[in-house]
Amino acid sequence: MLSYTLLAGLLFGLYFSLVAVGLNLVFGVMRLINLAHGDFLMLGAFLAYGLYAAAGLNPLYAIPAAIVAFMLAGVALYYAVVPRLQASRDPQMLSFILLFGVSQIIEALAVIAFGNNQRAIPATVFGSRPVLLLGQSFPVAWVVSAAVSAVALVVVYVYLYHSRLGYATRAVMASRDEAASTGINVHRVSAIALGTGLALAAVAGVFSAFMLGSIEPDMGIGITTTSFAVIVIGSLGNPLGTVLGGLVYGVGLMVMETFYPSWADLLPYVLLILILLVRPSGLLGQRVRLA
Amino acid sequence: MPRGGWYSVGVVLMFAVLPFVYGNHALLFNMMMYLVLAQGINVLFGFTGYLPFGYVGFFGTGAYGTSLAILLLHLPPLPALLVGAAAAMLVGLVLAPLLKLSGAYFAIASLAASEVVYYIVSNPHLTPLTQGPYGISLVQTYNAAQSYAVMVAVLALALGAVVYLRNSNLGLALQAIREEPISAGFAGINVVRERTRAWLLSAALAGLAGGVYAWHVSVFYPKPVFDLSISVFAIVFTLFGGAATLLGPVVGTLLLYGLYNWIGISQPEYFQLVFGIVIVVLVLFLPNGLMSLLRRIRVDVP
């Protein structure tokens, strides 16, 4: 029982790392809390559902489509609003409110386009035989989701730590002004980071039907809050810290679901508040307090 | 009369008289409720800069505090309302440490806090105490006319609170804290105390609104009284009109809730779309709301 819970927690932990890592990347590069993060994930979920329902395509085929579409959307969103906001009086608060507006627009358009019904992709699209891990059997959809998450996280690692673009991105994270003064094209780097963040959210969305429950237009805000909890547990502004946060959160969630199911819903919110209050600078490495 | 006082009297009288000439009392009641909530947001966001996304937590706490005082303590509605307001202030006191967080962190933490309150209140394990997910029924105290009249009184209180802040040292102190907390502290303002006062006042207003709402509808489930869209409405109404003024949230609520009543009830998704576009346009082009247009042509807005 316990080893099943822990293994399931690790599988979900990898998945939650993928759910949250885009939010953290965007925060790290442009100090912007993307309140529409969960809504982009929802759009990715509908993309996978649409391809499955219309053509019977395996959700894995939705991944390249999601990456291209949301990369472009992110770059467009960046140039449309972010430079203008960064020149304003209180960029962080204003962009927070603005992205909330974007989230409302996406949710409304999703209801208009898809209706208010809950959608599901049957978990048997990957085959119906369970996978054995260390003597425990798990649904194959969980294992596929966790494996894709692991690959995506490795790609993020290579992008940030073993590419020229990644060096530039981390320079912008450390100091926007100094990066600009060394000749880095800050706008281009940031736009790509926002595109990557949205693409990661959309890829996570492809698997949400198996890991987060049914697909519906208003699922976004809860996912945004959960993602925020995950990145705060890990390390705000450090995308790879998200993996730690995701694993802690995944295992915690599975333990709660197994032993205290009716209180499990509280977990992300309580963790978020406690960590923000108790270890804001220590765990995060960021100054988040005022006075 | 202090600045803005006559406008407040006018708004209150309007809602006191309108039910005799206009039949849609539910619209009038909800509009008053959102006026109170928008002014509650205004007290906090307008004067201190903290944006409480989880403001609905106080509303729900007030609704439940009032209902449980009626059901378990067998109090009449009016004292029960005070219990509801006190419950909301108590939750505010417990959450006061959140004020240490800045900007967006506070907004998200307060959202998380309201979800915590919701999941506790609606937890099936607490059914003997709160009725859990099964909702509250107060049919024995149902009185539409009286609860409407009490909401008028709560509206007067909310407008009075903002008139007071617009004309008092406390209001000035809060705005100084909003702009420069450290300098305000050097100027002799007790930053933590004043901002906690605004937070509790704001919590009490939402608690009262929630309590009167519970009494007025008398049958409700936990989900709708902890619905995030209540916070969102109040925040957008305030931003649209212009925070830190008396009239901004009033104008914002009358216009946007009127619009909601027109298209939002039958087709909420189109209203949500309009809402989202309004937010984006506001932030990009008019971050201080409609009232800042009047100020631009040198009209003094109370």
Side-chain angles (χ1 to χ4, degrees):
Chain A
M1 184 75 169
L2 188 63
S3 68
Y4 175 83
T5 306
L6 291 179
L7 274 174
L10 290 179
L11 292 178
F12 273 83
L14 279 171
Y15 178 69
F16 277 114
S17 308
L18 175 64
V19 167
V21 71
L23 185 65
N24 209 356
L25 180 67
V26 171
F27 180 85
V29 173
M30 55 210 98
R31 293 285 173 266
L32 184 140
I33 293 176
N34 181 6
L35 261 187
H37 182 76
D39 298 283
F40 287 106
L41 191 148
M42 177 269 293
L43 291 179
F46 270 103
L47 179 68
Y49 174 80
L51 289 179
Y52 170 77
L57 281 182
N58 186 305
L60 291 175
Y61 290 108
I63 294 176
I67 291 174
V68 173
F70 287 86
M71 186 60 120
L72 293 176
V75 171
L77 181 65
Y78 180 86
Y79 284 108
V81 295
V82 178
R84 195 187 159 92
L85 278 177
Q86 271 164 348
S88 67
R89 196 172 53 95
D90 183 2
Q92 200 184 45
M93 201 65 208
L94 283 180
S95 59
F96 183 77
I97 299 172
L98 177 112
L99 281 161
F100 177 70
V102 172
S103 141
Q104 295 284 302
I105 293 174
I106 294 176
E107 200 182 312
L109 290 176
V111 174
I112 292 168
F114 311 124
N116 251 329
N117 308 324
Q118 302 188 337
R119 311 295 171 86
I121 304 174
T124 51
V125 286
F126 299 117
S128 51
R129 192 181 301 161
V131 177
L132 282 177
L133 288 179
L134 299 177
Q136 310 278 348
S137 79
F138 296 95
V140 63
W142 291 11
V143 179
V144 172
S145 306
V148 172
S149 305
V151 171
L153 293 167
V154 169
V155 170
V156 172
Y157 172 76
V158 172
Y159 153 53
L160 283 178
Y161 290 87
H162 295 283
S163 77
R164 278 190 68 83
L165 179 62
Y167 292 134
T169 309
R170 285 188 294 137
V172 176
M173 283 188 189
S175 166
R176 201 178 175 85
D177 295 340
E178 285 176 30
S181 69
T182 58
I184 292 172
N185 185 341
V186 172
H187 284 309
R188 195 175 71 95
V189 166
S190 305
I192 292 173
L194 184 56
T196 311
L198 299 194
L200 287 166
V203 171
V206 167
F207 298 97
S208 74
F210 316 116
M211 308 300 274
L212 301 174
S214 56
I215 307 168
E216 45 194 324
D218 64 355
M219 64 201 265
I221 187 78
I223 293 172
T224 305
T225 331
T226 306
S227 309
F228 198 75
V230 168
I231 66 178
V232 165
I233 297 168
S235 175
L236 206 54
N238 171 5
L240 290 177
T242 311
V243 179
L244 173 70
L247 292 177
V248 169
Y249 177 73
V251 171
L253 184 71
M254 279 299 135
V255 170
M256 289 289 284
E257 295 261 1
T258 309
F259 299 105
Y260 307 97
S262 74
W263 298 100
D265 289 333
L266 274 174
L267 183 73
Y269 305 110
V270 173
L271 277 177
L272 175 61
I273 295 173
L274 283 183
I275 292 181
L276 278 181
L277 287 178
V278 179
R279 291 293 305 276
S281 53
L283 255 178
L284 319 177
Q286 291 287 336
R287 221 178 83 86
V288 298
R289 287 184 177 214
L290 259 185
Chain B
M1 202 70 171
R3 224 155 54 103
W6 288 117
Y7 287 104
S8 311
V9 172
V11 172
V12 171
L13 279 181
M14 183 178 90
F15 279 99
V17 173
L18 268 177
F20 298 103
V21 293
Y22 180 68
N24 190 347
H25 292 187
L27 169 64
L28 295 176
F29 184 87
N30 288 339
M31 211 170 232
M32 283 197 295
M33 184 183 100
Y34 278 111
L35 279 173
V36 173
L37 291 174
Q39 293 296 11
I41 293 274
N42 193 17
V43 166
L44 195 68
F45 178 67
F47 289 89
T48 71
Y50 286 96
L51 185 64
F53 252 85
Y55 194 54
V56 65
F58 296 131
F59 179 83
T61 305
Y64 265 88
T66 304
S67 307
L68 297 182
I70 292 174
L71 289 176
L72 303 177
L73 306 178
H74 306 290
L75 290 179
L78 282 179
L81 277 176
L82 296 181
V83 175
M89 289 172 83
L90 188 68
V91 170
L93 210 55
V94 172
L95 296 178
L98 293 183
L99 294 170
K100 283 187 225 165
L101 303 168
S102 68
Y105 303 92
F106 172 82
I108 291 188
S110 85
L111 170 63
S114 82
E115 292 291 311
V116 169
V117 178
Y118 164 67
Y119 280 115
I120 291 175
V121 166
S122 67
N123 197 294
H125 281 160
L126 295 181
T127 301
L129 185 65
T130 63
Q131 317 296 324
Y134 309 111
I136 293 275
S137 169
L138 297 175
V139 279
Q140 67 275 34
T141 56
Y142 175 74
N143 188 331
Q146 267 185 29
S147 48
Y148 185 96
V150 174
M151 192 57 112
V152 175
V154 173
L155 174 63
L157 185 71
L159 293 172
V162 176
V163 170
Y164 171 71
L165 286 182
R166 286 289 282 164
N167 294 289
S168 67
N169 285 335
L170 175 60
L172 276 178
L174 289 174
Q175 292 182 72
I177 296 171
R178 181 188 66 197
E179 297 303 327
E180 277 295 336
I182 294 168
S183 313
F186 277 127
I189 297 169
N190 187 335
V191 173
V192 174
R193 192 186 67 195
E194 307 304 345
R195 134 181 121 184
T196 308
R197 275 188 186 171
W199 172 240
L200 292 181
L201 171 62
S202 170
L205 287 175
L208 282 172
V212 185
Y213 173 81
W215 182 23
H216 190 76
V217 299
S218 82
V219 175
F220 62 92
Y221 289 94
K223 190 102 193 157
V225 293
F226 284 100
D227 189 344
L228 177 65
S229 63
I230 295 180
S231 302
V232 170
F233 273 31
I235 289 170
V236 179
F237 294 165
T238 307
L239 287 174
F240 182 66
T245 63
L246 171 76
L247 285 187
V250 174
V251 171
T253 307
L254 294 181
L255 287 179
L256 287 184
Y257 194 77
L259 180 70
Y260 172 74
N261 198 59
W262 184 36
I263 59 170
I265 292 173
S266 55
Q267 283 163 319
E269 62 274 18
Y270 287 94
F271 180 71
Q272 191 180 26
L273 182 63
V274 172
F275 228 57
I277 294 171
V278 165
I279 297 172
V280 170
V281 170
L282 270 180
V283 170
L284 289 179
F285 301 105
L286 203 63
N288 295 318
L290 283 182
M291 290 300 134
S292 66
L293 285 179
L294 285 180
R295 260 200 219 119
R296 227 174 269 174
I297 54 167
R298 306 214 174 159
V299 177
D300 182 29
V301 183

